Amino acid sequence: METKNIEEKSQTIEKKPLEKVCIICAKGSIEDVYATLVMANGAVMEGIETNVFFTFFGLDGITKKSMNHLHTATTGNPAMKMPGGLPFPTMLGGLPGVESAVSGMMRKQMEELDIPPVDEFLEMITAGGGTIYACKLAVDMFKLKQEDLSDEVDSIITIGQFYELCDGDRTQIIFT
Amino acid sequence: MSVKTIAGLELNVSDEGYLEDMTQWNEEIANEIANEIGIELTPKHFEVLNFLRKKTEAKEPLTIRGVGKSGIVNIKELYALFPKGPLKFSSKIAGIPKPTSCI
């Protein structure tokens, strides 16, 4: 009943398509960085202006050394499954080599679905007009320099500057 | 689904204007759909359109990455040909269904 009411209501309101998305990535696991990249690329493909801001551990996703070797958590991750669907024992996740094997498997499966490696994904986003930024505070904290970052990174900016880029009444900020 | 007259032909199209039957497509139809979107087609456009149609006929999934690796255009050039809709607009003009790909 509730759903129906919402539908009726939305039909009477004029559609206002999204014009800009500003996505913030603060975590550096495969799934966090890819969630950001898929959403950013998807927005660019839809013709939506796109700004992406990488901060804290999210910087791993745009740091040359680490971006194509991201990892996933095999311990403390309740969604982890064994191949075949059985639950993944946390004890197993702590064994040497298990995490890199699982992360490698994830990357392989993504490649099969034509999901590109991180460096290429960043290129796809900027090719379509999206802009990638790094957080100044986090870059200083991790003692990184612009040359340590992917060439696709436009610049290192403060969060205040990023908010300035988020103007417009059809803009959404997404935090992954 | 609705019927729309494009290039003098009555064609079945989806609610968003994608051709229901890709075999009805011809270059005139492409030009008319492109005009509606605001794109003027060049031979390079048609190379991309034919590539997309071939892929669709072979039931292979479409991604902009795939187009970028086709040797016809790179991704930046694809965006330049079909601004703000590299896969969405190109598919519509190519007379194939709306792409379901996220990449």
Side-chain angles (χ1 to χ4, degrees):
Chain A
M1 195 65 202
E2 191 62 30
T3 323
K4 204 180 162 215
N5 283 342
I6 291 169
E7 267 174 25
E8 278 169 7
K9 206 175 161 191
S10 67
Q11 276 168 4
T12 58
I13 299 171
E14 184 207 346
K15 274 209 162 190
K16 290 184 175 177
L18 197 53
E19 283 177 354
K20 195 194 305 189
V21 286
C22 299
I23 306 173
I24 301 170
C25 178
K27 283 166 270 171
S29 69
I30 295 180
E31 60 269 29
D32 291 309
V33 171
Y34 269 93
T36 303
L37 295 174
V38 171
M39 280 194 284
N41 182 61
V44 173
M45 281 173 68
E46 288 298 314
I48 299 168
E49 187 183 336
T50 308
N51 295 313
V52 196
F53 187 71
F54 286 86
T55 185
F56 278 86
F57 293 112
L59 283 178
D60 273 6
I62 51 169
T63 303
K64 277 177 194 158
K65 256 190 205 168
S66 54
M67 61 187 181
N68 286 339
H69 313 282
L70 298 174
H71 296 273
T72 193
T74 46
T75 56
N77 182 353
M80 270 294 294
K81 304 277 189 307
M82 297 285 278
L86 286 171
F88 192 93
T90 290
M91 297 275 283
L92 189 61
L95 296 177
V98 169
E99 186 280 325
S100 49
V102 170
S103 299
M105 207 188 287
M106 260 172 90
R107 283 196 294 264
K108 195 170 148 257
Q109 277 173 358
M110 288 198 287
E111 180 65 39
E112 280 169 17
L113 284 172
D114 214 15
I115 303 175
V118 173
D119 57 345
E120 195 188 330
F121 221 154
L122 293 169
E123 282 172 28
M124 282 167 62
I125 292 166
T126 56
T131 320
I132 317 267
Y133 299 99
C135 166
K136 184 176 184 307
L137 192 63
V139 165
D140 290 347
M141 191 183 124
F142 290 115
K143 300 195 166 40
L144 294 167
K145 296 193 188 75
Q146 176 101 33
E147 58 261 34
D148 298 322
L149 304 175
S150 158
D151 296 337
E152 304 308 317
V153 175
D154 179 271
S155 48
I156 300 168
I157 62 172
T158 66
I159 185 64
Q161 287 172 299
F162 187 70
Y163 281 139
E164 282 174 23
L165 297 170
C166 306
D167 65 329
D169 55 6
R170 292 193 196 174
T171 301
Q172 293 288 339
I173 297 181
I174 304 170
F175 188 91
T176 64
Chain B
M1 198 166 84
S2 52
V3 177
K4 195 175 169 189
T5 311
I6 308 173
L9 294 167
E10 287 205 352
L11 304 171
N12 287 331
V13 296
S14 72
D15 292 339
E16 290 173 286
Y18 288 80
L19 252 57
E20 293 285 345
D21 179 0
M22 68 178 280
T23 60
Q24 295 179 317
W25 182 86
N26 61 39
E27 297 202 352
E28 251 177 84
I29 295 173
N31 277 316
E32 194 162 322
I33 300 174
N35 272 342
E36 247 177 62
I37 297 169
I39 295 172
E40 200 162 317
L41 297 181
T42 63
K44 201 79 194 166
H45 284 95
F46 278 105
E47 274 185 56
V48 175
L49 299 179
N50 287 321
F51 172 79
L52 294 177
R53 289 178 58 82
K54 244 185 241 165
K55 282 270 175 192
T56 307
E57 266 169 20
K59 298 207 184 329
E60 285 177 46
L62 297 179
T63 59
I64 58 167
R65 190 186 188 211
V67 181
K69 285 187 172 171
S70 66
I72 301 168
V73 284
N74 63 33
I75 292 177
K76 203 166 184 171
E77 291 161 346
L78 179 65
Y79 272 100
L81 292 177
F82 302 97
K84 299 197 166 200
L87 210 51
K88 204 170 56 167
F89 292 156
S90 54
S91 297
K92 196 171 184 178
I93 300 169
I96 57 177
K98 188 177 182 183
T100 50
S101 161
C102 291
I103 37 172

